[in-house]
Amino acid sequence: MPKLSSPNDLKEYRESIKNKTFDPDALRARVCCGTACAATGAHKVIDSFQKEAADSGVEIEIVKTGCQGICQKGPVLKIEPMNIFYQRTKPADVASIMNYSMVGNMPYRQGLYRDSILDDPIPLMNDIPFYKKQKRIALRNNGVVDPNNIDHFIAVGGYAGLEKALFSMSPDEVLNEVDKANLRGRGGAGFPAGKKWAHTKSAPGDIKLVIANGDEGDPGAFMDRSIMEGDPHGLLEGMAINAYAIGAQYGFVYVRHEYPLAVKNLKIAIKQAEELGLLGNNILGTDFSFTVDIREGAGAFVCGESTALVASIEGERGFPRPRPPRLSQPGGGAWGFPTNLNNIETFACVPIIIEKGADYFTSIGTKTSPGTKVFALTGKVKNTGLVEVPMGITLREIIFDIGGGMLGDKEFKAVQTGGPSGGCLPAENLDLKVDFDTLWAAGSMMGSGGMVVLDEDTCMVDVAKFFLSFTQSESCGKCPPCRIGTYQMLQILERITAGEGEQGDIRKLVELGQYIQKGSLCGLGQSAPNPVLSTIKYFREEYEEHIYEKYCRANVCSGTGAFVIDQNTCFRCGLCKEACAFGAVTETKTRYIIDRNACTQCKACYTACPIDAVLIKKPRHVTLEEVFKVPTEDIEIIDRRARMILKDILDKKPSAVITVTQDQTADAAVNLMAEKKVSDVLVVDDSGKLAGIFTERDVVRNIHAKINLETTPIKDIMTKQVTSFEPSTEISTAIQVIAKEGIRHLPVVEGDKIVGMITYRDLVAYVLPEVIYMAEAIY
Amino acid sequence: MKVDDVIGIVSEKLSDEQKKRGVLIHAFQSLQEEHNYLPEDVLVTLADDLGLPLSYVYSTATFYKQFYFTPRGRKIVKICTGTACHVRGASAVMDKITDEFGVKDGETTEDLAMTLETVGCIGCCGLAPVATINEDIIGEIDNKKLDSMIETIKE
Ligand SMILES: Cc1cc2nc3c(=O)[nH]c(=O)nc-3n(C[C@H](O)[C@H](O)[C@H](O)COP(=O)(O)O)c2cc1C
Ligand code: SF4
Ligand code: SF4
Ligand code: FES
Ligand code: FES
């Protein structure tokens, strides 16, 4: 390869490869060779293409691209020039694909994407709902170029940003452009890259470093991986522009150790760029020199934190340290040199900002969060994969339009963003706009871009426990609040999910969480409690169910719930009995039943049953069913009613409140009771406040005591100690109080205002079904 | 192993001490690749060669999850327990393999046939639940694939 030593060389080189690269009329297959597609057989598909082409004598070009996004439908590929998109391609499909779409000009319908088997197939990539709302900046070359071929990258405009920076902009102008674009760090915190660059630039010292953070520790995110694997030159170009702007000479990419393909592709890319003179000494003939090296991580999540990362590069244990000094300050970066550290995706956005200008970048996204963000959309959603969307798009659009909605048409429960540092947002937040500040305000965060969709079968307590056990095991152990606090929180969560939660556990979790947030040195500890706190905030009910009812509504936590066999569904196959290690499934002449005294709630029978006949119910419900013979369908009603409040009764049957004033005679009150056919009147003072109650019982008592009702003012003989109730009192509480105090009338009072009157009769009528079943059981 | 090669061009700006430390993690990685774990004598030699205290070498190596100090199995089975895999049933996969081979996370069978490990996301979340056997990735694991995985491990 020639070494390019001027902008003109690069222009000529670009021209020279244009003719032989990506000829618009040529037959071409762009086959995704990203990790997921490779795992599902992309390389076998390529072998078939090569064989078919050789056999049929048709000349085709095969481009092995990085991840094209829709990983779940892999292996995926595009056939050009018709631009037809194929998914779930098997080697056996290749002959037909070639015949239809390369020799002929028809789509091969069996290989196309369909929303569902009943929908028409969609031949073009951009017509697929998954791609429609996406906007590709960071992923612009993913799925287009062969990452091991620098010519591909240059042919589609690669290194044009670097060229423009070097030859028509001063370092300050480059920095200002990035600052003007308000590019915010994609690694989690959203700190403006321009500000960070300026700090490093202004630090004293001749030697400066640029580090790209490719540690990608969030266990459910893989956008940085896809960029490093699929578009390594995009990353290198961004780093070089950064180095030019701040006057840095050395660059490092710190790659997570689980990403061997990223290391391989980056190494190849660095070598190619050096050979062409796009990295190394005197880049494109200028006096700007910049080299890039790779450092592999060694499996420690905390090393994604910037000070720990630097320690790891230096060959130390990856302990975070207090700042200042910041990395950008002398003594703060690697080996003490001022260092600018950004996330991979942040760097990948830089060339576009330089090439197209800050105004282009800020025209996308929102005012405070311009540009796009890549998300790894996973979990219980139909189309999983990598999506790049303009900031400001709603969660609903991402999950339901791009993601195609819930898998198996289950009900949406929550979406987790920000990985182990983030939080879970419930359905009422689906219309939130996705940007740094909005997610933060809602109690979650953008994080590096993991987005996990959770459905009704996901237990929120279990999810919180999952993230906490991750951060707990990844804590470096330096700060006691983080090390011990997360352990304690995890113990509590273990107990709750094992059905051994106690009253007060939720409060303890919140207190511990706040303490850990405040007392930890680095972001790991400071954010570790977030998943727990946000699920408590939005899904407290589920915690309470685990603790008070020993029940997990998602049937996830073993150790909770009452196991029963639905005899109507069961077809007596006996698999549950075989599965139970505790002999709790017993066999009678006609059926299988679960002996709850022996059952350990291990869920073995539940998993074993082929037709979901083993049900996990609330223990309280099962007791009701069995002791009181309540049919299942009525349980729901009873349960709902028991949880209702007095206001619900008032809303349903507004009762007349009959009042008299204190100075009226008792006789007047009795007449009023007879006339209105009520068993009591309420006595109010001049301001309308409840002063006493006069009931049938008072009448009997006073007649028996020979009091002259006609002359006595009511205030002398009324009951002055009135038990009144707030409208928000739960019905079950009200029943307990009237039983304990032996009263039959419940004045409902809001502040000083009487808002209703409920008698024990109203209560009985309202919870009648429960009462009837209980009565039946007693007689 | 040449220290300057590993450190790269930045070595021109570093002191000898910084360079020695800077190659350490890389050294562990290549030694582990060679021996499949980090045997004690190899670490002792490394400490001697670099002139670094053995305690420093050990404390650094043990900090990182990637490094092992006991021999590992011929087949390394990694079950992904990242978020996406967790919500799509990774624990069932883990349970089945644990039952079948009688080893827990991080353990090796007595005949050194296999080591069971967990990993937090291997970047194929779209195919969750996912596992790897040595270099091979197995995605969308269902009962059928689990059985064939077990066959593969036993081979
Ligand atoms: C425990 C912990 C882990 C982190 N992991 C990563 C990571 O894997 N990738 C990343 O880019 N940033 C990670 N960060 C954030 C980095 O510290 C840093 O803020 C970021 O890389 C800066 O780049 P940006 O400004 O471009 O976002 C992590 C932070 C903490 C506290
Ligand atoms: S907060 Fe946790 S991970 Fe961070 S430095 Fe302290 S102990 Fe280590
Ligand atoms: S496994 Fe299911 S269907 Fe079979 S006996 Fe048990 S409950 Fe009935
Ligand atoms: S790996 Fe092929 S689409 Fe993601
Ligand atoms: S969570 Fe398992 S591959 Fe990402």
Side-chain angles (χ1 to χ4, degrees), chain A residues 558-577:
Chain A
S558 26
T560 59
F563 286 61
V564 287
I565 291 174
D566 178 358
Q567 301 298 344
N568 294 329
T569 316
C570 170
F571 64 106
R572 334 255 182 247
C573 69
L575 287 176
C576 51
K577 185 175 181 208

Side-chain angles (χ1 to χ4, degrees), chain A residues 419-434:
Chain A
S421 317
C424 293
L425 300 176
E428 61 255 37
N429 283 340
L430 271 174
D431 291 308
L432 278 191
K433 290 195 180 318
V434 176

Side-chain angles (χ1 to χ4, degrees), chain A residues 219-222, chain B residues 80-85 120-125 128 130:
Chain A
F222 52 102
Chain B
C80 177
T81 51
T83 321
C85 291
C121 194
I122 41 182
C124 303
C125 314
V130 178

Side-chain angles (χ1 to χ4, degrees), chain A residues 185-188 191 196 213 215-217 224 301-302 304-306 341-343 346 522-524:
Chain A
R186 270 37 177 173
F191 190 82
K196 214 191 262 182
N213 187 348
D215 196 42
E216 195 150 67
D224 293 345
F301 172 66
V302 74
E305 197 275 343
S306 45
L341 178 134
N342 277 120
N343 164 263
T346 315
C522 87
L524 190 151

Side-chain angles (χ1 to χ4, degrees), chain A residues 211-232:
Chain A
I211 299 180
N213 187 348
D215 196 42
E216 195 150 67
D218 173 354
F222 52 102
M223 57 292 284
D224 293 345
R225 162 184 209 151
S226 291
I227 295 173
M228 291 186 282
E229 286 179 0
D231 187 19

